[in-house]
Amino acid sequence: MDYGTTAFTAVTATIKILFMVLLFAMPLASILTWLERRQSAMMQDRLGPNRANIPLPFGLNWRMWGITHFLADALKFMAKEDFVPPKAHKFLFMWAPIMAMAPALIVSAIVPFGSTLCWGHLWEVAGPNAVCAQPIRLQIAQLDAGLLFYFAISSLAVYGATLAGWASHNKWAMMGGLRASSQMMSYEVTMGMAVLGSFLVYGTLEPSAIVAEQQHIFALADLRHSWGIFSQPLGFILFLTAAIAETKRTPFDIPEGEPEIIGYFVEYSGLRFGMFFLGEFLEIVTSSAIMISIFFGGWHLGGTIDGWMLAHLPNVAFVGAMATVWLVKVFAFCSFQLLIRWSLPRFRSDQLMRLGWQRLLPVSIANVVATALVILWAQASH
């Protein structure tokens, strides 16, 4: 056993985990809590968050439109009383917020967030045909069935909502939990069928392999090497709709019932409520990252531009540029999901279930069948 290689692998894996959790997912989800309030204020012609600030020397104050409100929220959640209803199931009441938040962090392990870093040759121009002796893939876990792993883990979040409603010993919370379980299980079917179309196109369920295939923004001669939005436009719409429903946000916020007294976390306060609150935004971040990987080329900017940068930039500069492109794409999709919340009215419960089972599911099945027929016709013609 090469202990040096093993130690190097362990160190790089730890760094990637720390980056994804502490430098990407958690900070971005926290900033999104501020951005949602700021964006809604702009759309509704209000002031929005503008009170939290950090005192600076020389009489200066860093207001930045109240961007430090999410820090104030964290302090507020930690300072509030952590009340547990007397008849609640203590263990499950404690466990539910963890189940709501943890899956969104775990699934980030399969997300590729940049090109391969060539250790030992960071300041050399690698070129398109270079072979790296010590490659560091910017992905925590490279699994052949990576998208199946995403569905397996992300679906566990339903236990958080359901257990929160049941363990609270509150009939209104229980009703919210039942709504959450029925909604999330319904739309997971559509989401899986939407990804199945991409699997037929790319022949793999490994996210980094899917990203590697999307070398060009649009190539009419071979859509397999184009961004997934062009080979699977209907699949993208289905996946986006199902992903928003999975995060339980407007117009699919039936389980939370914000204008009502129904909500699976209605009995939660303090830091436990904060975990539900942050978990929702973590789901937005991870679902956006997965959508970028499947439908928008991941960290790729475009075939010609990528090739030029690879041939002229040092490896570390190229990797940094591609990681920045990926971050911009993810942030743009997160902002788009926030925009949807303040643009569409919420569904009734019966409308939501009808949309999932009678509209989206048949369309997703038709999309898979049509994709398979096109691929068979293309193979037969060659």
Side-chain angles (χ1 to χ4, degrees):
M1 179 182 293
D2 189 344
Y3 291 102
T5 303
T6 304
F8 178 79
T9 304
V11 170
T12 55
T14 302
I15 293 174
K16 287 185 284 188
I17 292 172
L18 293 176
F19 169 80
M20 286 298 292
V21 175
L22 299 181
L23 297 179
F24 169 66
M26 295 291 287
L28 181 54
S30 300
I31 291 174
L32 289 179
T33 63
W34 163 81
L35 181 62
E36 179 161 73
R37 283 175 285 184
R38 188 67 192 174
Q39 190 179 49
S40 64
M42 294 173 64
M43 295 176 67
Q44 298 170 0
D45 196 22
R46 296 185 286 107
L47 289 178
N50 64 350
R51 301 303 298 172
N53 63 69
I54 298 177
L56 294 178
F58 310 110
L60 299 176
N61 283 330
W62 182 42
R63 289 188 179 275
M64 289 296 291
W65 308 289
I67 197 172
T68 52
H69 267 247
F70 70 91
L71 298 177
D73 287 337
L75 292 174
K76 178 183 69 176
F77 287 140
M78 289 187 289
K80 274 191 172 182
E81 180 186 3
D82 185 18
F83 176 76
V84 179
K87 294 185 178 181
H89 192 291
K90 301 298 189 294
F91 176 76
L92 295 181
F93 190 85
M94 173 274 298
W95 186 248
I98 299 174
M99 287 297 297
M101 186 175 174
L105 293 174
I106 295 173
V107 297
S108 64
I110 65 165
V111 176
F113 54 92
S115 178
T116 301
L117 194 66
C118 192
W119 188 257
H121 304 278
L122 298 179
W123 301 103
E124 299 178 8
V125 178
N129 300 318
V131 178
C132 185
Q134 279 188 304
I136 301 177
R137 298 182 182 275
L138 298 191
Q139 183 182 14
I140 297 173
Q142 191 172 10
L143 306 177
D144 291 338
L147 292 181
L148 294 182
F149 174 83
Y150 169 74
F151 287 118
I153 300 300
S154 62
S155 62
L156 295 178
V158 68
Y159 287 99
T162 306
L163 289 177
W166 184 84
S168 298
H169 197 76
N170 180 310
K171 60 183 178 180
W172 305 115
M174 181 64 180
M175 191 174 296
L178 291 175
R179 285 179 172 184
S181 60
S182 60
Q183 174 177 321
M184 295 175 73
M185 287 187 289
S186 300
Y187 282 84
E188 277 176 3
V189 181
T190 297
M191 185 182 290
M193 297 299 291
V195 169
L196 185 56
S198 298
F199 169 67
L200 293 175
V201 173
Y202 299 112
T204 180
L205 290 171
E206 208 286 300
S208 64
I210 295 176
V211 171
E213 291 288 344
Q214 302 174 60
Q215 300 171 2
H216 305 281
I217 296 178
F218 179 70
L220 184 59
D222 188 2
L223 288 177
R224 188 173 188 269
H225 295 297
S226 304
W227 285 5
I229 183 64
F230 298 108
S231 60
Q232 283 289 293
L234 186 56
F236 164 69
I237 296 173
L238 292 169
F239 190 96
L240 175 64
T241 306
I244 296 174
E246 288 280 290
T247 58
K248 304 178 293 297
R249 292 172 55 80
T250 307
F252 302 98
D253 64 334
I254 302 296
E256 299 176 3
E258 292 179 345
E260 309 168 11
I261 59 173
I262 296 175
Y264 58 91
F265 50 66
V266 69
E267 293 286 1
Y268 282 84
S269 61
L271 198 56
R272 298 184 202 269
F273 172 79
M275 294 177 69
F276 279 114
F277 186 62
L278 188 61
E280 177 181 301
F281 288 92
L282 283 171
E283 290 177 349
I284 294 175
V285 173
T286 53
S287 64
S288 297
I290 291 293
M291 277 189 282
I292 291 300
S293 300
I294 301 175
F295 299 105
F296 286 87
W299 47 266
H300 286 297
L301 189 58
T304 305
I305 302 175
D306 288 356
W308 184 90
M309 295 175 68
L310 183 62
H312 292 84
L313 293 180
N315 177 253
V316 66
F318 175 75
V319 172
M322 294 298 98
T324 303
V325 168
W326 177 79
L327 286 170
V328 171
K329 288 182 180 180
V330 173
F331 183 77
F333 256 84
C334 292
S335 301
F336 177 67
Q337 291 196 54
L338 300 187
L339 180 68
I340 290 176
R341 171 171 186 173
W342 303 105
S343 304
L344 300 176
R346 65 198 297 261
F347 292 110
R348 294 197 315 264
S349 183
D350 61 315
Q351 292 173 331
L352 183 143
M353 299 304 291
R354 187 180 302 115
L355 175 65
W357 289 109
Q358 299 183 13
R359 302 292 187 273
L360 297 183
L361 181 58
V363 172
S364 64
I365 295 174
N367 179 63
V368 172
V369 174
T371 302
L373 292 176
V374 170
I375 293 175
L376 288 175
W377 176 80
Q379 292 176 347
S381 62
H382 286 82

